[in-house]
């Protein structure tokens, strides 16, 4: 398979979308197991992985709306991951 530059970036875009979508599958499966709404830590890692990959794709496409959307989302995902990690550290210290 011989991909040109645009083809490679299209693959990167689809990879980012797949990572981003996987977070919902992870969240759904965990919630089903626990019989309540749960956001496992993997949800935030998939969110960050998908967000970074989609941001790279948006920069390549030079789409300011998509760039701003991904940057703001990444801030929220990173902040939530910080809260999860901080809470786990506090629980281990007590």
């Amino acid at each position: 398979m011989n991909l040109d530059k645009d083809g490679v970036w299209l693959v990167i875009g689809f990879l980012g979308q797949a990572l981003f979508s996987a977070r919902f599958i992870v969240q759904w499966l965990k919630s089903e197991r626990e019989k309540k709404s749960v956001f496992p830590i993997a949800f935030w890692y998939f969110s960050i992985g998908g967000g970074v990959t989609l941001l790279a794709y948006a920069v390549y496409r030079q789409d300011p709306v998509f760039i701003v959307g991904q940057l703001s989302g990444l801030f929220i995902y990173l902040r939530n991951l910080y809260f999860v990690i901080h809470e786990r550290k506090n629980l281990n210290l007590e």
Side-chain angles (χ1 to χ4, degrees), residues 15-31 38-51 54 70 73-74 76-78 80:
L15 173 63
Q17 192 59 51
L19 288 170
F20 204 67
S21 297
R23 70 195 187 130
F24 291 114
I25 295 168
V26 168
Q27 191 272 332
W28 171 59
L29 293 173
K30 182 72 170 171
S31 293
V38 177
F39 288 89
I41 196 166
F43 178 89
W44 301 114
Y45 284 115
F46 276 112
S47 297
I48 292 165
L54 288 172
Q70 289 305 315
L74 279 169
I76 294 166
Y77 311 144
L78 288 165
N80 276 293

Side-chain angles (χ1 to χ4, degrees), residues 62-87:
Q62 298 180 355
D63 185 330
V65 173
F66 198 11
I67 292 168
V68 169
Q70 289 305 315
L71 281 173
S72 59
L74 279 169
F75 172 76
I76 294 166
Y77 311 144
L78 288 165
R79 187 72 173 145
N80 276 293
L81 183 59
Y82 167 80
F83 287 141
V84 170
I85 291 170
H86 185 70
E87 180 182 12

